[in-house]
Amino acid sequence: MEIRELSVNGAWEFTPVQHGDSRGVFLEAFKAPLLAEVIGHDLDLAQVNVSVSAAGSVRGVHFADVPPGQAKYVTCVAGAVLDVIVDIRVGSPTFGHHDTVLLDDTDRRAVYLAEGLGHAFCSLADGSTVAYLCSTGYNPGAEHGVNPMDPALGIDWPTTARDGSRLTFELSAKDTAAPTLAQAREQGLLPEYDAVVAYLAQRALLDQ
């Protein structure tokens, strides 16, 4: 498996080796020991989520309070999405920056994002199916969002679908009403970078 560290600290891209023949394709989509070696601790798998999205659907930017936060290992098993990871950690050297990865059923890449980072994606095809391996379960009282269309984020959302047609964005009511990054910071919703680093360092010590 090929591993690439993204420009947002705490996020990586994983590209598996695919073995194909006349029957189809086989690949190792997730390897726990390899991920633990990369991130410095085991991924506590608490929940697996699956979303199916029409072309143009935008989900996110979502994040959870730290601790415990919610780390995610994300892949697209059908269709294609532009996956976006946003640094929303106040005090981080790359606060407000983001990186993108195309997740699809061709290269079958995955991304890992650590606790404290924001996550979003835009579906590039009808029926795009995204699977998330999550370190913690759903906790509505501790989960928040930033509006993905906030100009301050500078996300260059795609305007063309996988089939070449023009995308029409569709967001949930919750994501549409989500605060901007600046508003979320003013409201005290965003995680603090130093607190996230300390928490992850403690996690790594516990796994030794």
Side-chain angles (χ1 to χ4, degrees):
M1 188 174 288
E2 182 180 332
I3 303 168
R4 181 174 69 92
E5 187 171 8
L6 300 181
S7 62
V8 173
N9 179 261
W12 288 265
E13 171 194 279
F14 296 83
T15 304
V17 176
Q18 301 187 58
H19 306 277
D21 58 24
S22 59
R23 300 168 299 167
V25 175
F26 173 85
L27 64 139
E28 295 176 336
F30 171 75
K31 300 183 73 172
L34 178 62
L35 180 63
E37 182 180 341
V38 171
I39 68 176
H41 60 83
D42 293 333
L43 174 65
D44 294 329
L45 181 56
Q47 185 168 310
V48 177
N49 298 331
V50 174
S51 66
V52 181
S53 302
S57 297
V58 176
R59 298 180 185 267
V61 177
H62 300 150
F63 64 97
D65 290 339
V66 182
Q70 187 180 67
K72 297 176 181 176
Y73 187 90
V74 185
T75 191
C76 181
V77 297
V81 303
L82 182 71
D83 199 84
V84 183
I85 298 170
V86 184
D87 191 347
I88 56 166
R89 302 166 299 188
V90 177
S92 167
T94 55
F95 175 74
H97 294 196
H98 70 275
D99 206 344
T100 62
V101 177
L102 175 65
L103 303 181
D104 60 21
D105 53 14
T106 300
D107 294 318
R108 305 183 192 279
R109 294 187 181 96
V111 294
Y112 172 84
L113 58 147
E115 295 88 343
L117 295 176
H119 180 251
F121 69 78
C122 176
S123 173
L124 304 178
D126 286 338
S128 293
T129 304
V130 176
Y132 320 66
L133 280 62
C134 303
S135 64
T136 57
Y138 177 59
N139 181 2
E143 299 190 9
H144 313 284
V146 169
N147 193 305
M149 301 304 173
D150 177 7
L153 295 179
I155 300 173
D156 187 17
W157 291 109
T159 57
T160 304
R162 194 184 205 186
D163 63 6
S165 61
R166 185 167 182 81
L167 288 175
T168 299
F169 298 133
E170 184 172 356
L171 285 68
S172 70
K174 183 177 180 180
D175 289 342
T176 300
T180 64
L181 184 66
Q183 290 169 338
R185 183 175 185 175
E186 292 171 0
Q187 295 168 18
L189 298 176
L190 304 180
E192 296 286 340
Y193 179 72
D194 289 344
V196 173
V197 170
Y199 173 71
L200 294 179
Q202 183 182 36
R203 280 290 321 278
L205 285 174
L206 291 174
D207 284 346
Q208 288 181 355

